[in-house]
Amino acid sequence: MHYKTRLKPGILLAVTLCIAAGQSIASPLCEAQLESTVSTAIQPLMQQQAIPGMAVAISVNGKQHYFNYGEASKHSGQPVSAETLFEIGSVSKTFTATLAAYAEASGKLSLSDPASKHWPELKGSAFDGITLLNLGTYSAGGLPLQFPEQVKDQASLLGYYRHWKADYAPGTHRLYSNPSLGLFGYLAAKSMDTPFAELMQKQLLPQLGLLHTYVQVPATQMGHYAQGYDKDNQAVRVGPGPLDAEAYGLKTTSADLLRFVEANLQPQSLSAPLQRAIATTQTGYYRVGEMTQGLGWEQYRYPVSLDQLLAGNSTAMTLEPQRVTWLKPARPLQDDMLLNKTGSTNGFGAYVLFVPSKHIGIVLLANKNYPNAERVKVAHAILTALDH
């Protein structure tokens, strides 16, 4: 099936008005037109998918724009704002990758290290031949999407990894996996001799200037925590699970997540190790079709068609093994790339994309898990309008 980005009349009008006025769509005079652009894309989506609330944050040429829709909780009727906390699911993986890359930039690990080097109890297992880079790029050899149900504590976690057998030679196939990326983050924290959640909350997030992003939402912030809703519109929030903090556990606001995107767009103000870390996450390591795998981030040549972006974020890419073609050497970020990441929990859906060469970043947060394809279509339409 082929999809085309159709700019609805409201979006075309917004762009046309800005151009007619001789203004960039990011200029102050065009804020109302930009709001029309976003609303024309978001409001039908929310109705179609029965999404109670959404927060949209956009950065264009360093200027931030926030658009909020609907309710953070159907029970209380509290409206969504830029301070509403959303679960971001696997968008957390981009933070985990940044932390691991920061550990490398700090001299605590090398991506070429065997995984067992940083967890000696794994010596003698398959992880003697699996590198940290394999774990960070889902190419360990077939680690599954989720842990089996019997993995519930530290002992069963270690036992699972010790007895796990690969289906493929390491580095030959991509299979999207929480146990893979989760272990990547866990071993990075071990290399720094500090628990992962503490490193994330007390070191990485403050360095990025993110003051409203949490592994565990503190009691003082619970009033900002949106209620999530599952496919049956039942109220749900994420529960504990093995390596949850590393793989899918962050909660954040649209303002904080946009700030993280801007750190990726313009990292020059960050410390030198953190700049190197961000460059490492944005490096391309291998290709699967039109998608280039970074650490956490997934990349596409820009401009990218909607078909290509949908294929890279498809169910097949999530659930099925894909043979990979490594880039040798690994490729630093090119100017003409789009980077993106989806994330879901049972009750929330997130999508982030940014285009460094265009100085554009887009954040979509919703308190319902709705299909990735719908997120991609809406974000692509907004991006197309912004880059019209």
Side-chain angles (χ1 to χ4, degrees):
M1 182 178 294
H2 294 276
Y3 298 88
K4 293 182 179 179
T5 300
R6 299 186 182 276
L7 295 184
K8 298 180 181 181
I11 296 179
L12 284 173
L13 176 62
V15 175
T16 302
L17 287 173
C18 286
I19 293 173
Q23 299 290 333
S24 160
I25 198 167
S27 70
L29 292 177
C30 282
E31 183 75 20
Q33 283 80 13
L34 180 56
E35 182 174 4
S36 174
T37 298
V38 175
S39 295
T40 300
I42 295 297
Q43 289 175 338
L45 169 72
M46 292 179 65
Q47 183 174 8
Q48 176 195 52
Q49 298 295 326
I51 299 170
M54 287 191 69
V56 179
I58 297 173
S59 177
V60 186
N61 293 322
K63 180 173 175 57
Q64 301 81 37
H65 308 265
Y66 302 102
F67 308 100
N68 301 297
Y69 304 89
E71 298 173 332
S73 166
K74 293 194 290 185
H75 176 72
S76 70
Q78 181 178 349
V80 170
S81 73
E83 289 75 46
T84 300
L85 291 166
F86 291 81
E87 296 170 12
I88 60 171
S90 287
V91 176
S92 304
K93 291 178 170 68
T94 62
F95 289 83
T96 296
T98 305
L99 180 60
Y102 180 75
E104 181 186 47
S106 303
K108 302 297 185 181
L109 60 80
S110 168
L111 294 178
S112 62
D113 289 343
S116 58
K117 175 179 178 179
H118 298 283
W119 197 358
E121 290 88 343
L122 290 180
K123 290 189 182 297
S125 74
F127 293 90
D128 288 338
I130 293 168
T131 66
L132 296 180
L133 182 59
N134 292 143
L135 293 175
T137 58
Y138 319 110
S139 60
L143 280 167
L145 177 61
Q146 306 287 5
F147 286 99
E149 288 188 6
Q150 61 267 28
V151 178
K152 298 183 182 298
D153 54 22
Q154 187 71 9
S156 57
L157 183 73
L158 175 59
Y160 171 74
Y161 286 123
R162 279 195 57 81
H163 295 100
W164 177 78
K165 303 298 182 186
D167 295 321
Y168 312 98
T172 61
H173 290 74
R174 177 191 192 269
L175 185 59
Y176 188 74
S177 168
N178 285 337
S180 186
L181 202 292
L183 183 57
F184 182 54
Y186 180 79
L187 297 181
K190 275 188 165 292
S191 79
M192 299 181 79
D193 199 29
T194 306
F196 178 88
E198 183 178 336
L199 282 171
M200 182 63 69
Q201 199 70 62
K202 296 183 178 180
Q203 291 197 38
L204 182 65
L205 296 175
Q207 286 193 59
L208 290 165
L210 307 184
L211 304 180
H212 301 285
T213 302
Y214 307 101
V215 177
Q216 295 290 335
V217 178
T220 56
Q221 295 296 314
M222 287 299 291
H224 295 297
Y225 191 174
Q227 178 62 64
Y229 297 90
D230 66 15
K231 58 183 175 57
D232 299 317
N233 294 313
Q234 297 301 304
V236 292
R237 281 185 177 146
V238 70
L243 302 186
D244 52 352
E246 291 85 346
Y248 55 85
L250 288 182
K251 299 88 180 170
T252 191
T253 65
S254 62
D256 255 24
L257 193 50
L258 189 66
R259 192 170 292 113
F260 179 56
V261 169
E262 290 185 325
N264 276 271
L265 285 167
Q266 296 286 338
Q268 293 85 348
S269 64
L270 302 172
S271 69
L274 199 46
Q275 288 185 49
R276 292 196 297 273
I278 285 175
T280 297
T281 66
Q282 296 180 359
T283 296
Y285 295 99
Y286 63 69
R287 294 190 68 188
V288 174
E290 299 295 330
M291 188 272 285
T292 298
Q293 183 68 59
L295 288 181
W297 299 113
E298 296 157 10
Q299 308 177 11
Y300 302 83
R301 288 280 183 192
Y302 186 79
V304 58
S305 73
L306 180 56
D307 277 346
Q308 291 170 332
L309 209 52
L310 286 167
N313 288 284
S314 66
T315 301
M317 283 291 285
T318 302
L319 299 180
E320 299 172 11
Q322 310 283 338
R323 186 171 288 277
V324 309
T325 302
W326 286 86
L327 301 172
K328 297 183 178 180
R331 187 182 66 199
L333 181 67
Q334 307 294 297
D335 285 340
D336 55 343
M337 300 296 284
L338 176 151
L339 294 85
N340 82 159
K341 186 70 186 77
T342 61
S344 303
T345 58
N346 285 339
F348 290 80
Y351 186 50
V352 176
L353 68 76
F354 59 97
V355 184
S357 64
K358 299 294 182 178
H359 309 291
I360 294 173
I362 300 173
V363 168
L364 304 179
L365 298 176
N367 58 345
K368 186 173 183 182
N369 181 352
Y370 65 105
N372 282 343
E374 302 305 319
R375 308 175 204 184
V376 170
K377 284 187 272 187
V378 165
H380 192 269
I382 294 171
L383 175 63
T384 301
L386 291 170
D387 193 28
H388 187 72

